[in-house]
Amino acid sequence: GTERWVRLFETIQAGELAPDDEVIALLAAAMETQKEAVGFLFDGFPANMAQARLCQDKLGSPAKVVVLVVPDSVMVDRLKDGVNFNDTEETIKKRIQTFSDETQPVIQAYADVASKVKADRTSEEVFA
């Protein structure tokens, strides 16, 4: 891949967040190619308050935020399933701590447009 993608892969593999400017640039480029779209779904973004401010400045405010609420123990079990390339025991713990420290404040900031979904159920129940 390109130098940018290799750098992003290494960052994500280490269990860290991708640089804000990189993520915004990728999202803006993708959105530019879909001008007719009525909206976009960002999975896991913004993940911290700096990203939220940058996102709001560059891409606009979210109309809706969907929060999948899952207890840490369920998150650990799901991340251990081997599907994701970077989920070692150490990175799982780091990802959960990063979520608590960095992402929970974003969820609070967007509480007025947030819907919480209890997601420790089967996928059929969650998406019903």
Side-chain angles (χ1 to χ4, degrees), residues 13 36 97:
Q13 191 174 32
E36 72 285 352
Q97 188 62 49

Side-chain angles (χ1 to χ4, degrees), residues 4 22-34 40 59:
R4 172 191 257 177
E22 298 264 358
V23 175
I24 290 290
L26 291 168
L27 288 172
M31 292 170 72
E32 185 65 27
T33 67
Q34 302 294 320
F40 296 92
L59 306 175

Side-chain angles (χ1 to χ4, degrees), residues 42-59:
F42 298 163
D43 182 6
F45 186 84
N48 61 45
M49 288 304 296
Q51 286 180 345
R53 285 187 291 275
L54 188 58
C55 184
Q56 199 158 328
D57 290 345
K58 302 287 184 180
L59 306 175

